[in-house]
Amino acid sequence: MRRRLLRLWQVAVVIVVTVLVGTLLGAEPLHSRADSLDPSPWRTAALAVTGSLAEVSEFLHLDRPWKWAAGSSEIDEPSAVSTTVGTTTTLAGHAGSTTSSHTIPGSAAGSTISSTTTASSTTTTSSSTTTTTLPLFTVKEPLRVLMVGDSMMMMVGYGMMRQAERHPAMKVQVATKVSSGLVRPDFFDWPKRIARGLSEFHPHVTVMIFGGNEKQTMRHEGKTLEPFSEAWSTEYSRRVADAIAMSTDNGAQVIWVGMPIMRSPKFSETCRRLNAFYAAACAENPDATYIDGYSLFADEQGQYSAYLIDPAGQRKLMREKDGIHLTNAGGDRAAAAVMEVLRESVRLEK
Amino acid sequence: MLFPTWTFVAFFAIVFAAGWALVRRRRAWQALMLAASYFFYAFWGSEFALLLAGYTVVNYLLGIAMVAVRRRRGWLLALAVVVDLLPLAFYKYYGFFAFNLSELLGGLGAQGALPLLDLVVPVGISFTTFRGISYVVDIYRGNVQQQPTLLEFSLFMSFFPYLAAGPIVRNSELLPQFRAGVSRRRIDASRALYLITLGLAKKVVIGDFLARNLVDGVFAAPGHYSSLDVVIGIHAYAAQIYCDFSGYTDMAIGVALLLGVSLPRNFDRPYTAESLREFWRRWHMTLSRWLRDYLYIPLGGSRGSALVTYRNVIMTMLIAGIWHGAGWTFAVWGLLHGVGQAVEHALIQRRKQRDLPPVVPSGIGLVVRRIVTLEFVCLAWIFFRADSLSTAGDVIARTFTAWGAAPSVSWLAVLAVVVGIGFQYLPGRLTQWVEKTISLRSPLLQGIVFGAVLFVIVGLLGAEGMTRFIYIGF
């Protein structure tokens, strides 16, 4: 028997039913997605439509598959990249920025050295000259570095993995989630993921990058807060500070890499505003360090450039075609800045 | 605008309804599709749409000129090809040229390199170039039976289902459909929706999953992975690029079918090929035939000596490699395929000279040939995926040097690789049976099935935040 061809009205029925069934089954995530749009009439319309769909879906119990799947993913989120790397570290590259000096616990017993360090002030929120004891990490007892963040973290994480290939006294674990951030824990619960990383990996250092998806409304205490409003800013500052404190309260140093300058001036401005939150939070926590990612990826005139000069003096393509994400060379540049900060507080066995 | 987005769903709903409302008014239908296609393209940037319009007008006018004049048509053709290639050369290859010139001059201690511009490559510019060149060459060869109107030609250059990443259509396939008008009142909807669903599943369930969970890491920091991880990672890329690209074209063919337009097939289970020549008859089939008709044959094809044939094969594949991307890695990828096919030609030629019959492999011989072909293709994919020759070298070296290290690859990733490559061995009859079985159900039931399956693919199995389609970058 041959395949049956449909009349036009029948095709229309198939398409409408397909869309209707698909959207009813996925009404909840669709409503959440609509909620994350920039404030506009489109967002208002999308919220109204998806809100109605969500109500119908709940009434018909069609939301159960999604709820079941969402419940399962709370235990394990398969689309989050999680990679552990056994490697080493060479400290070279750009001037880092430190807000404080740190003592990192867990280094090889009795293998500390005394040293005087001067933190560079070119990309830091503050500089200080301190005398401190730099702990030594070895291959047997490596420095554990946890890298967490949105898609911007991917290339930085890979950059740190390449650093770790050269430095066996360092282990790197990378956990990223595309489209995520601290604004929308309903989409991805970063505090929970960071807590898991802390309890399983016991990092000495947590490196964080967020900001790619943060300019969206935030739900807090039953209210919807508009991006960069006073209430939004207050709550976002708290979330950033809490995310940092989760690590520092567990004895881990935090290095926060600020968002880089972007090709789009509008997005650059958003990143600049978000970076102010991160820098301020790091300044308030003595165990946190802020790296000015914005300047790190700007050219000599402080403007966006896809090509930048690497530490070897060669011009390299640092940004992807989208004008947002980093290339491997860009990841190496950010990783070098992280290593520069680490060099201020630890010593790695050759 | 990408296919698997809500923006596209809304866009397509309007185009579908309006398109079928105008189905009896041919010119109005063409105008609607043209407007929709430019709207679709302008989502990536209005300047891109202007460039597309420029391509269209120039090729159309030069086509008319070639028909009108009897002498110096070769010059007009050359002019058209050069004009078609100029934007491609500027947007796609300028950066590569300027960077390498800068490196060369720097190495010689000289100054005066070209500035490195941050150019945004127009989406699908290579595919637009292919369509333009094929049209003017066909005019020159006298293969265009009836001169299209500007409206028909504009639609041929911009029809949104294939605009961004193919298939690479010929004017002889599309213009008659546009000219005759979409008069079919019955649509193979089950096949269209099956292709859209299958394409989406390939992309978001297998392609994106493998990219994020294995491939990107292996090619970014191979030294971190064990040899087994790297070997699986290389095969994962083979599965990813197939699922990504064939997934896109499945969706393109399905979307066009819903509008009443048939597009040519682009993939036919390529990893079941038993030779590189067969691989290229199954992989990106519309590119293969374009290369054959507009590059390999004009170069002389196999009409000359054996050595000339080998040269033509290698040249064609080298150019195909450089077409994919401005970088030495793509050149090596093309060269590997060219040399590989030249060797196959030579082996066949040798049997002919000895009056031996062609090899018809079966049993274990067929299995070995398929494995060797797949592994060669995977070796070449390393260069295609790596961002530099040194990275490709690191990946290859790692496949030999870390067998003692503990593998970290997940079973889920291995399963995705097996499914991504292995399902190509499923008999074609199975696909036909599925399509037929669905088509025999009522429209209501078909809708419920497709809706539920799409929810499972996108909502439950798909990775959040879809990655960019690989071939849209070409």
Side-chain angles (χ1 to χ4, degrees):
Chain A
M1 191 183 290
R2 286 185 148 198
R3 286 203 299 268
R4 189 175 61 147
L5 305 184
L6 298 184
R7 291 174 185 277
L8 266 181
W9 70 267
Q10 292 174 314
V11 178
V13 168
V14 176
I15 292 176
V16 168
V17 174
T18 299
V19 173
L20 197 61
V21 170
T23 49
L24 282 173
L25 286 166
E28 195 172 314
L30 277 176
H31 190 55
S32 175
R33 173 78 183 134
D35 199 21
S36 70
L37 297 173
D38 281 347
S40 67
W42 284 110
R43 177 175 176 273
T44 308
L47 277 174
V49 172
T50 56
S52 303
L53 282 169
E55 285 176 16
V56 175
S57 175
E58 190 177 5
F59 176 75
L60 297 173
H61 300 295
L62 289 175
D63 58 342
R64 291 192 174 180
W66 170 256
K67 283 187 170 155
W68 170 80
S72 303
S73 69
E74 281 180 9
I75 301 166
D76 182 28
E77 52 287 340
S79 52
V81 174
S82 182
T83 316
T84 308
V85 185
T87 56
T88 344
T89 276
T90 305
L91 309 181
H94 286 265
S97 56
T98 54
T99 53
S100 57
S101 58
H102 322 278
T103 302
I104 294 185
S107 55
S111 57
T112 56
I113 61 164
S114 293
S115 164
T116 301
T117 62
T118 305
S120 165
S121 61
T122 52
T123 58
T124 53
T125 51
S126 69
S127 65
S128 60
T129 302
T130 56
T131 300
T132 186
T133 302
L134 297 186
L136 176 69
F137 289 89
T138 65
V139 176
K140 283 186 177 176
E141 293 184 46
L143 176 74
R144 291 184 296 275
V145 181
L146 176 66
M147 317 280 295
V148 296
D150 56 24
S151 60
M152 293 303 296
M153 173 53 87
M154 280 186 183
M155 283 301 153
V156 184
Y158 294 143
M160 284 299 287
M161 285 163 68
R162 286 189 287 275
Q163 290 279 356
E165 286 175 18
R166 298 194 289 273
H167 302 285
M170 181 167 77
K171 267 182 181 275
V172 175
Q173 187 179 82
V174 184
T176 66
K177 179 74 176 176
V178 175
S179 308
S180 70
L182 300 175
V183 165
R184 298 296 302 266
D186 56 319
F187 168 68
F188 189 77
D189 193 342
W190 269 111
K192 188 179 279 186
R193 180 64 185 87
I194 292 169
R196 204 179 89 190
L198 292 169
S199 65
E200 292 177 357
F201 189 56
H202 304 292
H204 301 100
V205 179
T206 303
V207 181
M208 309 174 90
I209 300 180
F210 287 102
N213 316 290
E214 301 291 53
K215 190 192 169 190
Q216 51 180 297
T217 54
M218 190 191 298
R219 288 203 182 286
H220 179 61
E221 294 178 344
K223 293 178 183 170
T224 300
L225 312 179
E226 297 302 316
F228 297 116
S229 63
E230 193 176 333
W232 187 97
S233 300
T234 303
E235 176 57 15
Y236 190 64
S237 295
R238 187 191 66 75
R239 293 187 187 188
V240 171
D242 285 355
I244 292 172
M246 286 182 74
S247 293
T248 56
D249 290 352
N250 276 276
Q253 177 191 347
V254 167
I255 299 172
W256 193 297
V257 182
M259 288 291 284
I261 187 171
M262 301 290 171
R263 181 194 289 144
S264 156
K266 197 176 166 187
F267 194 21
S268 270
E269 175 60 16
T270 298
C271 292
R272 200 186 54 74
R273 293 178 75 180
L274 288 167
N275 284 344
F277 291 102
Y278 311 139
C282 289
E284 287 177 9
N285 191 316
D287 293 321
T289 303
Y290 176 70
I291 293 176
D292 182 2
Y294 195 93
S295 303
L296 189 64
F297 286 94
D299 65 11
E300 295 85 348
Q301 286 77 42
Q303 302 298 312
Y304 172 86
S305 175
Y307 292 89
L308 294 170
I309 295 171
D310 74 0
Q314 292 184 313
R315 196 167 285 273
K316 290 272 178 70
L317 181 65
M318 302 274 175
R319 308 300 286 269
E320 285 290 352
K321 291 174 188 170
D322 60 11
I324 297 171
H325 293 95
L326 306 177
T327 60
N328 276 337
D332 286 338
R333 187 181 185 87
V338 172
M339 294 304 296
E340 182 85 2
V341 176
L342 284 177
R343 190 168 55 179
E344 304 294 340
S345 49
V346 303
R347 195 165 167 259
L348 298 168
E349 184 183 60
K350 299 281 183 186
Chain B
M1 195 189 304
L2 292 171
F3 289 154
T5 58
W6 283 104
T7 312
F8 181 78
V9 171
F11 162 82
F12 185 74
I14 295 167
V15 174
F16 176 81
W20 286 107
L22 295 174
V23 72
R24 288 169 189 268
R25 300 168 66 185
R26 181 163 50 91
R27 283 180 188 277
W29 183 90
Q30 291 171 356
L32 171 76
M33 290 301 154
L34 181 65
S37 297
Y38 270 79
F39 181 80
F40 173 87
Y41 197 46
F43 251 72
W44 277 294
S46 51
E47 66 275 21
F48 295 170
L50 284 174
L51 184 67
L52 177 63
Y55 260 115
T56 302
V57 171
V58 167
N59 281 289
Y60 186 70
L61 292 178
L62 286 170
I64 288 176
M66 268 193 281
V67 172
V69 301
R70 295 186 181 279
R71 300 174 63 186
R72 298 183 186 275
R73 295 171 72 242
W75 285 103
L76 285 174
L77 175 64
L79 176 65
V81 171
V82 168
V83 169
D84 277 333
L85 289 175
L86 274 177
L88 184 71
F90 177 67
Y91 282 108
K92 198 163 174 177
Y93 301 108
Y94 173 83
F96 175 70
F97 178 70
F99 182 77
N100 280 279
L101 183 68
S102 164
E103 293 284 293
L104 182 68
L105 291 176
L108 296 172
Q111 299 286 323
L114 293 167
L116 294 172
L117 305 175
D118 181 28
L119 296 169
V120 180
V121 181
V123 169
I125 187 170
S126 302
F127 295 94
T128 305
T129 307
F130 278 140
R131 283 191 292 279
I133 290 177
S134 70
Y135 174 72
V136 290
V137 171
D138 283 352
I139 290 260
Y140 178 79
R141 290 173 175 170
N143 292 340
V144 178
Q145 303 300 325
Q146 185 184 341
Q147 179 76 19
T149 64
L150 180 58
L151 181 59
E152 289 165 357
F153 181 68
S154 300
L155 185 54
F156 162 71
M157 289 292 284
S158 64
F159 192 44
F160 70 88
Y162 58 67
L163 178 58
I168 302 167
V169 294
R170 289 173 166 169
N171 64 79
S172 59
E173 290 166 330
L174 265 290
L175 289 176
Q177 293 190 61
F178 294 154
R179 195 172 291 134
V182 183
S183 58
R184 282 174 291 177
R185 306 295 295 172
R186 288 174 182 268
I187 304 170
D188 195 350
S190 60
R191 175 165 173 71
L193 287 171
Y194 172 79
L195 284 171
I196 292 169
T197 307
L198 180 67
L200 202 56
K202 285 178 181 175
K203 169 65 179 166
V204 302
V205 179
I206 298 177
D208 285 357
F209 174 79
L210 286 174
R212 294 211 177 100
N213 290 281
L214 186 58
V215 176
D216 289 351
V218 163
F219 280 88
H224 153 63
Y225 294 88
S226 73
S227 292
L228 184 62
D229 291 330
V230 175
V231 168
I232 295 171
I234 293 165
H235 288 79
Y237 183 64
Q240 182 207 336
I241 192 167
Y242 167 73
C243 290
D244 189 287
F245 190 21
S246 74
Y248 184 90
T249 47
D250 284 345
M251 284 186 268
I253 293 168
V255 164
L257 205 53
L258 285 176
L259 296 173
V261 176
S262 296
L263 299 183
R265 286 181 78 185
N266 215 16
F267 291 89
D268 180 18
R269 300 174 297 146
Y271 294 143
T272 65
E274 58 179 83
S275 68
L276 288 176
R277 297 168 77 208
E278 188 187 355
F279 174 79
W280 279 100
R281 288 196 293 271
R282 292 173 175 275
W283 175 272
H284 203 171
M285 295 150 74
T286 55
L287 172 67
S288 298
R289 69 181 190 182
W290 194 98
L291 292 171
R292 182 195 63 206
D293 294 347
Y294 300 103
L295 195 56
Y296 177 67
I297 290 175
L299 281 171
S302 57
R303 292 192 298 272
S305 66
L307 279 178
V308 171
T309 301
Y310 305 153
R311 182 205 67 185
N312 292 341
V313 169
I314 292 170
M315 284 275 290
T316 301
M317 293 313 299
L318 181 61
I319 292 170
I322 294 168
W323 168 76
H324 277 88
W328 297 114
T329 51
F330 291 106
V332 172
W333 175 79
L335 205 57
L336 279 171
H337 275 280
V339 171
Q341 288 186 70
V343 169
E344 286 180 359
H345 270 284
L347 292 173
I348 292 167
Q349 198 62 29
R350 197 171 70 167
R351 286 188 71 84
K352 275 184 184 172
Q353 285 169 352
R354 293 179 180 179
D355 287 331
L356 295 170
V359 176
V360 183
S362 61
I364 193 74
L366 179 62
V367 173
V368 170
R369 276 171 166 257
R370 282 177 166 169
I371 291 173
V372 169
T373 303
L374 176 62
E375 294 311 310
F376 186 90
V377 168
C378 285
L379 170 70
W381 282 140
I382 295 172
F383 290 91
F384 194 93
R385 174 62 179 79
D387 66 348
S388 66
L389 290 177
S390 68
T391 302
D394 291 344
V395 170
I396 293 169
R398 195 68 181 172
T399 61
F400 296 104
T401 55
W403 283 100
S408 61
V409 66
S410 71
W411 284 108
L412 215 51
V414 175
L415 180 66
V417 176
V418 170
V419 171
I421 294 176
F423 85 90
Q424 297 176 43
Y425 281 90
L426 293 175
R429 280 174 301 177
L430 184 66
T431 302
Q432 291 169 2
W433 178 83
V434 171
E435 286 178 16
K436 189 184 78 177
T437 305
I438 296 171
S439 77
L440 296 176
R441 307 299 125 191
S442 70
L444 184 66
L445 188 58
Q446 285 188 42
I448 291 171
V449 170
F450 281 120
V453 173
L454 284 171
F455 166 70
V456 171
I457 290 169
V458 180
L460 301 186
L461 298 177
E464 186 70 30
M466 193 177 57
T467 61
R468 185 185 166 94
F469 284 97
I470 295 171
Y471 264 71
I472 280 185
F474 298 147

